[in-house]
Amino acid sequence: MADTHRQVQEFFFVRAAGWDNRFPGDGPAFAAAVSALGLRPGDAVLDIGCGAGRALPALRAAVGAGGTVLGADLTPAMLDAAVRAGRGSDGALFLADVARLPLRDAVLDAVFAAGLVSHLARPAEDLCEIARVVRPGGLLALFHPVGRAALAARHGRPLTDDDLRAEPNLTPVLARSGWRVRSYADEDDRYLVLAVRDS
């Protein structure tokens, strides 16, 4: 499932301009997932693999004007799409590789990651790097607006046992990377895993 950086950039480059048009009804699902993080005014949150920035307005609303919202993506075209959609005002956007985040240790209260896990080249190492920048007790949300079965059907593929996002596969990888799973939901209209940063 994991992709190289070049594969990720090529995949999203050709889709960036029309990304919002492909999934116009996902806004409420993103808002609900952000709400599940329980962010508070003044919190600092990173949307890693932010793409066209669909989560940024909900993240900004959750942390308020005094909070910090960052949006990072590996693909410049997706960041451009976020700016064109007017979401650049909801957070500071920057180009970054999840394997080497340009952030200090323990500076974030939470990380939101929509559709990211299946594109990680080195899942355990990359999730460990995300853990590095989150304070102990902070949260990680791994999200997709549809569940694994629905996503596999959308792509015309069977659902396989080796899918990293399956609970028996994901939980130990997260544990090795400094995260403890708090909740796991894989439903037709939502995939949402909440994990807590270990101390």
Side-chain angles (χ1 to χ4, degrees):
M1 284 177 54
D3 298 330
T4 67
H5 291 167
R6 195 186 83 220
Q7 287 172 320
V8 170
Q9 289 176 322
E10 289 174 354
F11 178 87
F12 287 106
F13 174 79
V14 298
R15 293 166 175 82
W19 193 256
D20 279 348
N21 296 332
R22 294 182 65 185
F23 310 104
D26 285 351
F30 272 80
V34 168
S35 179
L37 270 173
L39 294 167
R40 296 166 297 187
D43 277 353
V45 60
L46 167 66
D47 183 0
I48 184 68
C50 68
R54 292 183 294 169
L56 296 177
L59 292 169
R60 171 55 65 198
V63 303
T68 299
V69 177
L70 305 173
D73 202 275
L74 185 65
T75 306
M78 290 302 276
L79 294 173
D80 291 343
V83 171
R84 283 194 307 274
R87 298 177 185 130
S89 60
D90 291 311
L93 300 173
F94 60 99
L95 189 67
D97 178 353
V98 67
R100 293 180 301 278
L101 294 172
L103 299 170
R104 295 189 317 272
D105 294 355
V107 295
L108 301 173
D109 297 292
V111 171
F112 185 84
L116 178 76
V117 173
S118 60
H119 295 291
L120 295 178
R122 302 182 311 155
E125 293 86 347
D126 294 341
L127 289 165
C128 189
E129 172 64 359
I130 293 172
R132 179 187 66 79
V133 300
V134 177
R135 65 169 175 78
L139 291 176
L140 168 66
L142 302 176
F143 167 72
H144 200 284
V146 296
R148 293 187 312 116
L151 185 61
R154 178 187 289 175
H155 293 292
R157 295 192 302 250
L159 189 59
T160 61
D161 291 339
D162 65 348
D163 184 348
L164 174 61
R165 294 163 298 178
E167 189 171 12
N169 302 331
L170 183 62
T171 299
V173 172
L174 283 167
R176 289 195 304 272
S177 305
W179 299 99
R180 176 175 39 85
V181 173
R182 189 172 85 179
S183 64
Y184 181 98
D186 182 11
E187 303 154 358
D188 284 346
D189 60 353
R190 179 182 70 150
Y191 177 88
L192 181 61
V193 178
L194 296 178
V196 180
R197 172 71 170 97
D198 286 335
S199 55

